[in-house]
């Protein structure tokens, strides 16, 4: 079972540094590239439902947040 940390008392810089360290490796960059491909570079057709659009936009927002934190020092 994964171990989780309570981040409420961590500074923004400490959290940002954790993102940078996590995604700075070759494997981390592969994961970021994959996340970008399946969210930011994915487009739905005109027949997509509102639920599908909202779901994809939520995914895009999350990936954008991860990229903003992790790519800051690349």
């Amino acid at each position: 079972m994964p171990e989780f940390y309570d981040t409420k008392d961590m500074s923004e810089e400490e959290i940002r540094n954790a993102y940078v360290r996590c995604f700075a490796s070759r494997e981390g960059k592969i994961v970021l590239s994959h996340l970008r491909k399946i969210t930011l570079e994915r487009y739905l057709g005109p027949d997509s439902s509102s639920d599908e659009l909202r779901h994809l936009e939520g995914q895009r927002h999350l990936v954008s947040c991860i990229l903003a934190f992790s790519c800051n020092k690349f």
Side-chain angles (χ1 to χ4, degrees), residues 44-60:
L44 300 177
D47 59 337
S48 300
S49 71
S50 176
D51 288 343
E52 290 171 317
L53 291 169
R54 291 172 190 269
H55 183 73
L56 181 57
E57 285 306 309
Q59 291 175 335
R60 287 176 176 167

Side-chain angles (χ1 to χ4, degrees), residues 3-67:
E3 184 175 346
F4 294 97
Y5 293 92
D6 184 358
T7 60
K8 71 178 180 200
D9 294 328
M10 292 181 178
S11 70
E12 176 112 354
E13 182 178 355
E14 186 176 2
I15 293 170
R16 184 178 305 276
N17 287 337
Y19 272 87
V20 170
R21 285 190 304 274
C22 181
F23 292 105
S25 69
R26 178 181 182 275
E27 290 81 9
K29 291 176 184 179
I30 289 169
V31 169
L32 285 178
S33 295
H34 176 71
L35 289 173
R36 178 188 296 271
K37 182 179 180 181
I38 65 172
T39 59
L40 301 177
E41 296 174 7
R42 179 177 172 213
Y43 300 98
L44 300 177
D47 59 337
S48 300
S49 71
S50 176
D51 288 343
E52 290 171 317
L53 291 169
R54 291 172 190 269
H55 183 73
L56 181 57
E57 285 306 309
Q59 291 175 335
R60 287 176 176 167
H61 178 74
L62 181 59
V63 172
S64 294
C65 289
I66 292 170
L67 287 168

